[in-house]
Amino acid sequence: MDGFDSLLAGRLARRRLLGAGAVAGLGATSALAQAGGLVRLGMTGGPDERPLASDFPGKGPMIVQRNRPVLLESPMSVFDEHVFTPNDRFYVRWHWADIPLEVDVDAFRLTVGGQVGKPLSISLPELLRLPRIAYAAVNQCSGNSRGFFSPRVPGAQWAHGAMGNAVWKGVALRTVLEMAGVKPGAAAVRFGGLDRPLTAVDDFDKSLELDHANDGEVMIAFAMNGEQLPMLNGFPLRLVVPGWYSTYWIKALSEIEVLAAPDDNYWMTKAYKIPTAPQADVPPGAKDFPTEPISRMIPRSWITNVVEGTALPHRDTLPVRGIAMGGDQGVAKVEVSADGGHTWSPAQLGTDEGRYSFRRFSIDLPTPAKGELALMARCTNTKGEGQPMEPNWNPGGYMRGCVETVRARIV
Ligand SMILES: Nc1nc2c(c(=O)[nH]1)N[C@H]1C(S)=C(S)[C@@H](COP(=O)(O)O)O[C@H]1N2
Ligand SMILES: [Mo]
């Protein structure tokens, strides 16, 4: 018996999350900026300061990238403190300002329709009675770190905090598709949530090929780190597509539609397209190049205990630690360099929480001589895929994966 079974027993009250204060928090950027102060994100060639605020519902101190729709970024210190990102520090991204602010858990239904033998309308208690799966997985926005693109590109100017790692629990999408009976010849499965566009444009819907949807790992999650999903992270249900960028991880998931043909909606055919070139990399300014929908994630790593621009005392050793991810594979090794990438030393890896999770790394380096220092980490995943030294560029600001540098000074 866990917290979710109490929902079954009807003891969980309706989730009415946003009171008057919280709603005000969704509207007042300048007040927030004054209340929480400004943070610098270390970007060059454009605006670099953002307000820090802690008055969004269910959220602690977060970097406010945008107010409507809500875009909140996790400060890097969160990743230094936790390998599983706490729910109240987990980043938030919505495309439309009309997001669900409360959900009536008794009336809520997840519908499954389209190319199925038996259309379904599943209540939350019914969903909670189905067999469950659970695993750790990183949720990372396709545009994470976009603010570091050079030359800069339009879109949310995220630093590295449009990502988070959680243990997700829910029902395999395959279980629900089997209950509905997918008709022969079906090609894809489309997902939609409770949020709505304010103008006459396509809903934010995404889809997966049928085989992927049926892989037994793609999950309809009702829990994140052992708790209900925060409202801003998609309460009561969200799709989890482990190893893939979060654009597919539809929040407040309410509609599943099995399609006879590949999805032709705007969000699949026009948005979230990357160059087919390796690392999704094209020369700055390039326009006519072949594209494909963004999909699997790639290895990345971040030093989390040394803040850009800080002065470190000269001691016997220089402790360096951080987090790494393998993309859609596990982390095989992480190496650290204190000389701008000339020499590398293998770091110690923390507990393996599964192939889709963050993994901690740490190393005590011999302290370099006094002066400027360029610290770097690089991750290699279990497929042997590493991180390039050179940053990629594409007009969408997607799929950054290069080795990141933290500059500090030894004094
Ligand atoms: N319903 C819905 N789901 C959505 C989105 C959205 O706008 N609406 N945005 C997607 C994108 S692009 C990202 S990066 C993630 C962000 O997830 P989070 O807010 O839980 O961190 O949600 C995804 N799921
Ligand atoms: Mo995203």
Side-chain angles (χ1 to χ4, degrees):
M1 174 102 180
D2 59 25
F4 304 97
D5 299 291
S6 65
L7 209 162
L8 253 185
R11 272 187 275 117
L12 188 81
R14 273 156 221 264
R15 179 104 173 186
R16 290 191 197 288
L17 258 187
L18 304 196
V23 173
L26 289 176
T29 329
S30 52
L32 294 176
Q34 281 158 19
L38 294 170
V39 273
R40 273 179 185 250
L41 298 177
M43 298 160 180
T44 52
D48 177 40
E49 284 187 333
R50 305 279 183 280
L52 190 73
S54 36
D55 47 1
F56 284 85
K59 296 288 162 184
M62 298 293 285
I63 298 162
V64 185
Q65 285 284 0
R66 207 181 284 162
N67 222 266
R68 271 187 158 244
V70 195
L71 268 68
L72 305 176
E73 170 165 353
S74 309
M76 267 333 255
S77 58
V78 172
F79 306 110
D80 192 47
E81 289 158 22
H82 311 274
V83 74
F84 292 112
T85 316
N87 292 4
D88 67 347
R89 309 300 301 282
F90 210 99
Y91 86 103
V92 174
R93 196 264 189 267
W94 292 89
H95 287 76
W96 306 121
D98 184 5
I99 61 173
L101 298 180
E102 61 173 37
V103 171
D104 181 335
V105 294
D106 297 326
F108 178 88
R109 294 290 182 277
L110 170 65
T111 61
V112 186
Q115 302 296 305
V116 295
K118 185 181 160 213
L120 304 174
S121 173
I122 307 173
S123 69
L124 286 172
E126 282 164 349
L127 191 88
L128 288 164
R129 277 195 285 270
L130 299 176
R132 298 170 182 185
I133 59 171
Y135 50 76
V138 172
N139 161 344
Q140 181 184 208
C141 179
S142 317
N144 191 25
S145 318
R146 180 185 288 124
F148 298 107
F149 268 57
S150 173
R152 299 279 284 261
V153 292
Q157 300 298 302
W158 301 109
H160 300 304
M163 60 173 187
N165 184 39
V167 175
W168 308 94
K169 180 158 50 162
V171 174
L173 174 61
R174 180 169 69 192
T175 303
V176 168
L177 291 177
E178 274 169 4
M179 285 165 57
V182 173
K183 287 186 178 166
V189 185
R190 180 195 279 165
F191 309 93
L194 296 173
D195 48 331
R196 293 281 169 258
L198 292 176
T199 47
V201 286
D202 283 7
D203 257 11
F204 185 75
D205 289 344
K206 298 292 289 191
S207 56
L208 297 174
E209 284 178 9
L210 183 62
D211 285 352
H212 188 182
N214 260 329
D215 73 358
E217 287 193 327
V218 175
M219 182 197 299
I220 301 167
F222 53 76
M224 176 175 168
N225 294 325
E227 294 164 17
Q228 299 177 48
L229 305 176
M231 199 73 200
L232 291 174
N233 297 104
F235 180 84
L237 303 175
R238 89 174 302 165
L239 198 71
V240 171
V241 188
W244 278 38
Y245 286 98
S246 188
T247 178
Y248 296 93
W249 299 35
I250 293 294
K251 301 195 281 189
L253 175 69
S254 57
E255 274 180 69
I256 299 177
E257 189 188 353
V258 179
L259 305 177
D263 196 351
D264 59 2
N265 104 75
Y266 171 85
W267 296 101
M268 288 304 294
T269 55
K270 301 277 192 309
Y272 290 98
K273 300 289 284 289
I274 54 167
T276 53
Q279 302 292 329
D281 183 31
V282 291
K287 284 203 181 72
D288 293 321
F289 49 83
T291 63
E292 62 190 354
I294 196 166
S295 58
R296 56 175 291 266
M297 297 192 288
I298 54 176
R300 298 196 72 181
S301 55
W302 298 267
I303 291 168
T304 54
N305 69 322
V306 181
V307 175
E308 173 83 18
T310 47
L312 304 165
H314 191 277
R315 298 221 177 89
D316 288 350
T317 57
L318 173 64
V320 174
R321 58 174 188 267
I323 48 161
M325 56 182 279
D328 64 347
Q329 308 289 323
V331 171
K333 71 174 173 192
V334 176
E335 296 156 294
V336 174
S337 171
D339 57 9
H342 295 289
T343 58
W344 296 88
S345 313
Q348 230 168 28
L349 294 181
T351 313
D352 183 356
E353 305 282 0
R355 67 196 276 214
Y356 300 121
S357 174
F358 280 153
R359 192 150 180 195
R360 279 188 192 277
F361 64 86
S362 60
I363 184 170
D364 283 337
L365 292 171
T367 302
K370 290 185 182 180
E372 299 294 321
L373 185 68
L375 286 170
M376 297 174 170
R378 69 177 183 202
C379 169
T380 306
N381 72 16
T382 51
K383 258 193 340 199
E385 185 183 17
Q387 297 185 248
M389 288 295 284
E390 289 303 314
N392 67 337
W393 192 93
N394 55 65
Y398 295 136
M399 217 170 125
R400 186 170 167 104
C402 66
V403 169
E404 305 291 347
T405 306
V406 177
R407 286 174 209 284
R409 250 172 320 120
I410 303 282
V411 293

